[in-house]
Amino acid sequence: MNADYWRGFRDGQEHERKKAAQVLAFYIETLREVPGIGEKTYQKIVQHINTVSITKNNN
């Protein structure tokens, strides 16, 4: 496989990561509209998302 293939592959992966981050941010923002989820709970959720390690096995 040549360098152009891998460059395109890498660029495609980066594009999909950005799209996924945008979708996740949208869903997190919509939590503000859910009855029963107040500002404190919302902030706890955001803080957790910002501090949890995705590379550590959390089983």
Side-chain angles (χ1 to χ4, degrees):
M1 302 216 181
N2 64 28
D4 287 337
Y5 170 83
W6 289 113
R7 194 173 307 114
F9 181 80
R10 184 191 67 229
D11 291 348
Q13 282 188 320
E14 184 61 28
H15 175 73
E16 290 303 314
R17 272 193 283 274
K18 287 179 182 177
K19 277 181 29 181
Q22 289 173 339
V23 169
L24 180 59
F26 169 76
Y27 283 129
I28 292 168
E29 270 301 310
T30 62
L31 289 175
R32 290 178 183 253
E33 301 166 8
V34 176
I37 296 182
E39 190 60 29
K40 280 186 175 182
T41 304
Y42 175 79
Q43 289 302 324
K44 286 180 183 180
I45 292 168
V46 170
Q47 182 179 2
H48 173 73
I49 290 169
N50 288 333
T51 59
V52 70
S53 172
I54 61 171
T55 57
K56 186 173 75 171
N57 186 359
N58 292 319
N59 291 336

Coordinates of all heavy atoms in Angstrom, one line a residue:
M1 N 0.9 -1.2 0.0 CA 0.0 0.0 0.0 C 0.9 1.2 0.0 O 1.9 1.3 0.7 CB -0.9 0.0 1.2 CG -1.8 -1.2 1.3 SD -3.3 -0.8 2.0 CE -4.1 -2.4 2.0
N2 N 0.5 2.2 -0.8 CA 1.3 3.4 -0.9 C 1.0 4.5 0.1 O 0.0 4.4 0.8 CB 1.3 3.9 -2.3 CG -0.1 4.4 -2.7 OD1 -0.8 4.9 -1.9 ND2 -0.4 4.4 -4.0
A3 N 1.8 5.5 0.1 CA 1.7 6.6 1.1 C 0.4 7.3 0.9 O -0.2 7.8 1.9 CB 2.9 7.5 1.0
D4 N -0.1 7.5 -0.3 CA -1.3 8.2 -0.5 C -2.5 7.5 0.1 O -3.4 8.1 0.6 CB -1.6 8.4 -2.0 CG -0.7 9.5 -2.7 OD1 -0.2 10.3 -1.9 OD2 -0.4 9.4 -3.9
Y5 N -2.5 6.2 0.0 CA -3.6 5.4 0.6 C -3.6 5.7 2.1 O -4.7 5.9 2.7 CB -3.4 3.9 0.4 CG -4.3 3.1 1.2 CD1 -5.6 2.8 0.7 CD2 -3.9 2.5 2.4 CE1 -6.5 2.1 1.5 CE2 -4.8 1.7 3.1 CZ -6.1 1.5 2.7 OH -7.0 0.8 3.4
W6 N -2.4 5.6 2.8 CA -2.4 5.7 4.2 C -2.7 7.1 4.7 O -3.3 7.4 5.7 CB -1.0 5.3 4.8 CG -0.9 3.8 4.7 CD1 -0.1 3.1 3.9 CD2 -1.7 2.8 5.4 NE1 -0.2 1.8 4.1 CE2 -1.2 1.5 5.0 CE3 -2.7 2.9 6.3 CZ2 -1.8 0.4 5.5 CZ3 -3.3 1.7 6.8 CH2 -2.8 0.5 6.4
R7 N -2.3 8.1 3.8 CA -2.7 9.5 4.1 C -4.2 9.7 4.1 O -4.8 10.3 5.0 CB -2.0 10.4 3.1 CG -2.0 11.9 3.5 CD -1.1 12.8 2.6 NE 0.2 12.3 2.5 CZ 0.8 11.8 1.3 NH1 0.1 11.7 0.2 NH2 2.0 11.3 1.3
G8 N -4.8 9.1 3.1 CA -6.3 9.2 3.0 C -7.0 8.5 4.1 O -8.0 8.9 4.6
F9 N -6.4 7.3 4.4 CA -7.0 6.5 5.5 C -6.9 7.3 6.8 O -7.9 7.4 7.5 CB -6.2 5.2 5.7 CG -6.7 4.3 6.7 CD1 -7.8 3.5 6.5 CD2 -6.0 4.3 8.0 CE1 -8.2 2.6 7.5 CE2 -6.5 3.4 9.0 CZ -7.6 2.6 8.7
R10 N -5.8 7.9 7.1 CA -5.6 8.7 8.3 C -6.6 9.9 8.3 O -7.2 10.2 9.3 CB -4.2 9.2 8.5 CG -3.9 9.9 9.8 CD -2.5 10.6 9.8 NE -2.5 11.6 8.8 CZ -1.6 11.8 7.9 NH1 -0.6 11.0 7.8 NH2 -1.7 12.8 7.0
D11 N -6.6 10.6 7.2 CA -7.5 11.7 7.1 C -9.0 11.4 7.3 O -9.8 12.1 7.9 CB -7.4 12.4 5.8 CG -6.0 13.1 5.6 OD1 -5.3 13.3 6.6 OD2 -5.7 13.5 4.5
G12 N -9.4 10.2 6.8 CA -10.7 9.7 7.0 C -11.0 9.4 8.4 O -12.1 9.7 8.9
Q13 N -10.1 8.8 9.1 CA -10.3 8.5 10.5 C -10.4 9.8 11.3 O -11.3 9.9 12.2 CB -9.1 7.7 11.0 CG -9.1 6.2 10.7 CD -8.1 5.4 11.4 OE1 -6.9 5.9 11.5 NE2 -8.4 4.3 11.8
E14 N -9.6 10.8 11.0 CA -9.6 12.0 11.8 C -11.0 12.7 11.5 O -11.6 13.3 12.5 CB -8.5 12.9 11.3 CG -8.4 14.2 12.1 CD -8.2 14.1 13.6 OE1 -7.6 13.1 14.0 OE2 -8.7 14.9 14.4
H15 N -11.5 12.7 10.3 CA -12.8 13.3 10.0 C -13.9 12.6 10.8 O -14.7 13.3 11.4 CB -13.0 13.1 8.5 CG -14.4 13.6 8.1 ND1 -14.7 14.9 8.0 CD2 -15.5 12.9 7.7 CE1 -16.0 15.1 7.6 NE2 -16.5 13.9 7.4
E16 N -13.9 11.3 10.9 CA -14.9 10.5 11.6 C -14.8 10.8 13.1 O -15.8 10.9 13.8 CB -14.8 9.0 11.3 CG -15.2 8.7 9.9 CD -16.6 9.2 9.6 OE1 -17.6 8.9 10.4 OE2 -16.8 9.7 8.5
R17 N -13.6 11.0 13.6 CA -13.4 11.3 15.1 C -14.0 12.7 15.4 O -14.7 12.8 16.4 CB -11.9 11.3 15.4 CG -11.4 10.0 15.9 CD -10.0 10.1 16.5 NE -9.0 10.3 15.6 CZ -8.3 9.4 15.0 NH1 -8.7 8.1 15.2 NH2 -7.4 9.6 14.1
K18 N -13.8 13.6 14.5 CA -14.4 15.0 14.7 C -15.9 14.9 14.6 O -16.6 15.5 15.4 CB -13.9 15.9 13.6 CG -12.4 16.3 13.9 CD -11.9 17.3 12.8 CE -10.5 17.6 13.0 NZ -10.0 18.5 12.0
K19 N -16.5 14.1 13.7 CA -17.9 14.0 13.6 C -18.5 13.4 14.8 O -19.5 13.8 15.4 CB -18.3 13.2 12.4 CG -18.4 14.0 11.1 CD -18.7 13.2 9.9 CE -19.6 12.0 10.0 NZ -20.0 11.3 8.8
A20 N -17.8 12.3 15.3 CA -18.3 11.6 16.5 C -18.2 12.6 17.7 O -19.2 12.6 18.6 CB -17.4 10.4 16.8
A21 N -17.2 13.4 17.8 CA -17.1 14.4 19.0 C -18.2 15.4 18.9 O -18.8 15.8 19.9 CB -15.8 15.0 18.9
Q22 N -18.6 15.8 17.7 CA -19.7 16.8 17.5 C -21.0 16.2 17.9 O -21.8 16.8 18.6 CB -19.7 17.3 16.1 CG -18.6 18.2 15.7 CD -18.6 18.5 14.2 OE1 -19.2 17.8 13.4 NE2 -18.0 19.6 13.8
V23 N -21.3 14.9 17.5 CA -22.5 14.2 17.9 C -22.6 14.0 19.4 O -23.6 14.3 20.0 CB -22.6 12.9 17.2 CG1 -23.8 12.0 17.7 CG2 -22.8 13.1 15.7
L24 N -21.5 13.6 20.0 CA -21.5 13.4 21.5 C -21.7 14.8 22.2 O -22.5 14.8 23.1 CB -20.1 12.8 21.9 CG -20.0 12.6 23.4 CD1 -21.1 11.6 23.9 CD2 -18.6 12.1 23.7
A25 N -21.1 15.8 21.7 CA -21.3 17.1 22.3 C -22.8 17.6 22.2 O -23.3 18.1 23.2 CB -20.4 18.2 21.7
F26 N -23.4 17.3 21.1 CA -24.8 17.6 20.9 C -25.7 16.9 21.9 O -26.5 17.5 22.5 CB -25.2 17.3 19.5 CG -26.7 17.3 19.3 CD1 -27.3 18.6 19.1 CD2 -27.5 16.2 19.2 CE1 -28.7 18.6 19.0 CE2 -28.8 16.2 19.1 CZ -29.5 17.4 18.9
Y27 N -25.4 15.5 22.0 CA -26.2 14.8 23.0 C -26.0 15.2 24.4 O -27.0 15.3 25.2 CB -25.9 13.3 22.8 CG -26.5 12.6 21.6 CD1 -25.8 11.9 20.8 CD2 -27.9 12.8 21.4 CE1 -26.3 11.3 19.7 CE2 -28.5 12.2 20.3 CZ -27.7 11.4 19.4 OH -28.3 10.8 18.3
I28 N -24.8 15.5 24.8 CA -24.6 16.0 26.1 C -25.3 17.4 26.4 O -25.9 17.6 27.4 CB -23.0 16.1 26.4 CG1 -22.4 14.8 26.4 CG2 -22.8 16.9 27.7 CD1 -20.9 14.7 26.4
E29 N -25.3 18.2 25.4 CA -26.0 19.5 25.5 C -27.5 19.3 25.7 O -28.1 20.0 26.4 CB -25.7 20.4 24.3 CG -24.5 21.3 24.4 CD -24.6 22.3 25.6 OE1 -25.6 23.0 25.8 OE2 -23.6 22.3 26.3
T30 N -28.0 18.3 25.0 CA -29.5 18.1 25.1 C -29.9 17.6 26.5 O -31.1 17.6 26.8 CB -30.0 17.1 24.0 OG1 -29.4 15.9 24.2 CG2 -29.7 17.7 22.6
L31 N -28.9 17.1 27.3 CA -29.3 16.6 28.6 C -29.8 17.8 29.5 O -30.6 17.5 30.4 CB -28.0 16.1 29.3 CG -27.5 14.7 28.8 CD1 -26.2 14.4 29.5 CD2 -28.6 13.7 29.1
R32 N -29.5 19.0 29.1 CA -30.0 20.2 29.8 C -31.5 20.3 29.7 O -32.2 20.8 30.6 CB -29.4 21.5 29.3 CG -28.0 21.6 29.7 CD -27.4 22.9 29.1 NE -26.0 23.1 29.3 CZ -25.5 23.9 30.2 NH1 -26.3 24.8 30.8 NH2 -24.2 24.0 30.4
E33 N -32.1 19.7 28.7 CA -33.5 19.7 28.4 C -34.3 18.6 29.1 O -35.5 18.6 29.0 CB -33.8 19.7 26.9 CG -33.1 20.9 26.2 CD -33.0 20.7 24.7 OE1 -33.7 19.7 24.2 OE2 -32.4 21.4 24.0
V34 N -33.6 17.6 29.6 CA -34.3 16.4 30.2 C -34.8 16.8 31.6 O -34.1 17.3 32.4 CB -33.3 15.3 30.3 CG1 -33.9 14.1 31.1 CG2 -32.8 14.9 29.0
P35 N -36.1 16.6 31.8 CA -36.7 16.9 33.1 C -36.0 16.1 34.2 O -35.7 14.9 34.0 CB -38.1 16.5 33.0 CG -38.4 16.5 31.5 CD -37.1 16.1 30.9
G36 N -35.7 16.7 35.3 CA -35.0 16.0 36.4 C -33.5 16.1 36.4 O -32.8 15.8 37.4
I37 N -32.9 16.6 35.3 CA -31.5 16.8 35.2 C -31.3 18.3 35.4 O -31.5 19.1 34.4 CB -30.8 16.3 33.9 CG1 -31.0 14.8 33.9 CG2 -29.4 16.7 33.9 CD1 -30.4 14.1 32.7
G38 N -30.9 18.7 36.5 CA -30.6 20.1 36.8 C -29.2 20.5 36.5 O -28.4 19.7 36.0
E39 N -28.8 21.7 36.8 CA -27.5 22.2 36.5 C -26.4 21.4 37.2 O -25.4 21.1 36.6 CB -27.4 23.7 36.8 CG -26.1 24.4 36.3 CD -25.9 24.3 34.8 OE1 -26.9 24.3 34.0 OE2 -24.8 24.3 34.3
K40 N -26.6 21.1 38.5 CA -25.6 20.4 39.2 C -25.4 19.0 38.6 O -24.2 18.6 38.5 CB -26.1 20.2 40.7 CG -25.9 21.4 41.6 CD -26.2 21.0 43.0 CE -25.9 22.2 43.9 NZ -26.2 21.8 45.3
T41 N -26.4 18.3 38.3 CA -26.3 17.0 37.7 C -25.6 17.1 36.3 O -24.7 16.3 36.0 CB -27.6 16.3 37.5 OG1 -28.3 16.2 38.8 CG2 -27.5 14.9 37.0
Y42 N -26.0 18.0 35.5 CA -25.4 18.3 34.2 C -23.9 18.5 34.4 O -23.0 17.9 33.7 CB -26.0 19.4 33.5 CG -25.4 19.8 32.2 CD1 -25.6 19.1 31.1 CD2 -24.5 20.9 32.2 CE1 -25.0 19.4 29.9 CE2 -23.8 21.2 31.0 CZ -24.1 20.4 29.8 OH -23.5 20.7 28.7
Q43 N -23.5 19.4 35.4 CA -22.1 19.7 35.6 C -21.3 18.4 36.0 O -20.2 18.2 35.7 CB -21.9 20.8 36.6 CG -22.3 22.1 36.1 CD -21.5 22.5 34.8 OE1 -20.4 22.3 34.7 NE2 -22.2 23.2 33.9
K44 N -21.9 17.6 36.9 CA -21.3 16.3 37.3 C -21.0 15.4 36.1 O -20.0 14.8 36.0 CB -22.1 15.6 38.3 CG -22.1 16.2 39.7 CD -23.0 15.5 40.6 CE -23.1 16.1 42.0 NZ -24.0 15.3 42.9
I45 N -22.0 15.3 35.2 CA -21.9 14.5 34.0 C -20.7 15.0 33.1 O -19.9 14.3 32.7 CB -23.2 14.5 33.2 CG1 -24.2 13.7 34.0 CG2 -23.0 13.8 31.8 CD1 -25.7 13.8 33.4
V46 N -20.7 16.3 32.9 CA -19.6 16.9 32.1 C -18.3 16.7 32.7 O -17.3 16.4 32.1 CB -19.9 18.4 31.8 CG1 -18.7 19.1 31.2 CG2 -21.2 18.6 31.0
Q47 N -18.2 16.9 34.0 CA -16.9 16.7 34.7 C -16.5 15.3 34.6 O -15.3 15.0 34.4 CB -17.1 17.1 36.2 CG -15.8 17.0 37.0 CD -15.9 17.4 38.4 OE1 -17.0 17.7 38.9 NE2 -14.8 17.3 39.2
H48 N -17.4 14.3 34.8 CA -17.0 12.9 34.6 C -16.5 12.6 33.2 O -15.5 12.0 33.1 CB -18.2 12.0 34.9 CG -18.0 10.6 34.7 ND1 -17.2 9.8 35.5 CD2 -18.4 9.8 33.7 CE1 -17.1 8.6 35.0 NE2 -17.8 8.6 33.9
I49 N -17.2 13.1 32.2 CA -16.7 12.9 30.8 C -15.4 13.5 30.6 O -14.5 12.9 29.9 CB -17.8 13.4 29.9 CG1 -19.0 12.6 29.9 CG2 -17.2 13.5 28.4 CD1 -20.2 13.2 29.2
N50 N -15.1 14.6 31.2 CA -13.8 15.3 31.0 C -12.7 14.6 31.8 O -11.5 14.8 31.4 CB -13.9 16.7 31.4 CG -14.7 17.5 30.4 OD1 -14.7 17.2 29.2 ND2 -15.3 18.6 30.8
T51 N -13.0 13.8 32.8 CA -11.9 13.2 33.6 C -11.8 11.7 33.4 O -10.7 11.2 33.8 CB -12.1 13.6 35.1 OG1 -13.4 13.0 35.5 CG2 -12.1 15.0 35.3
V52 N -12.7 11.0 32.9 CA -12.6 9.6 32.8 C -11.6 9.2 31.7 O -11.4 9.9 30.7 CB -14.0 9.0 32.4 CG1 -14.4 9.3 31.0 CG2 -14.0 7.5 32.6
S53 N -10.8 8.1 32.0 CA -9.8 7.7 31.1 C -10.4 6.6 30.2 O -10.9 5.6 30.6 CB -8.7 7.1 31.9 OG -7.7 6.5 31.0
I54 N -10.3 6.9 28.9 CA -10.8 5.9 27.9 C -9.8 4.8 27.6 O -10.1 3.8 27.0 CB -11.3 6.6 26.6 CG1 -10.1 7.3 25.9 CG2 -12.4 7.5 26.9 CD1 -10.4 7.8 24.5
T55 N -8.6 5.0 28.0 CA -7.6 4.0 27.8 C -7.4 3.0 28.9 O -6.9 1.9 28.8 CB -6.2 4.6 27.6 OG1 -5.8 5.4 28.7 CG2 -6.2 5.5 26.3
K56 N -8.0 3.3 30.1 CA -7.9 2.4 31.3 C -9.1 1.5 31.2 O -10.2 1.9 30.9 CB -8.0 3.2 32.5 CG -7.8 2.4 33.8 CD -7.7 3.3 35.0 CE -9.1 3.9 35.4 NZ -9.1 4.6 36.6
N57 N -8.9 0.2 31.5 CA -10.0 -0.8 31.6 C -10.9 -0.5 32.8 O -10.5 -0.6 33.9 CB -9.4 -2.2 31.6 CG -10.5 -3.2 31.5 OD1 -11.7 -2.9 31.4 ND2 -10.1 -4.5 31.5
N58 N -12.1 -0.1 32.5 CA -13.0 0.3 33.6 C -14.1 -0.7 33.9 O -15.2 -0.4 34.2 CB -13.7 1.6 33.2 CG -12.8 2.8 33.2 OD1 -11.9 2.9 34.1 ND2 -12.9 3.6 32.2
N59 N -13.7 -2.0 33.8 CA -14.7 -3.1 34.1 C -15.0 -3.2 35.5 O -14.4 -3.3 36.4 CB -14.3 -4.4 33.5 CG -14.4 -4.3 32.0 OD1 -15.1 -3.5 31.4 ND2 -13.6 -5.1 31.3

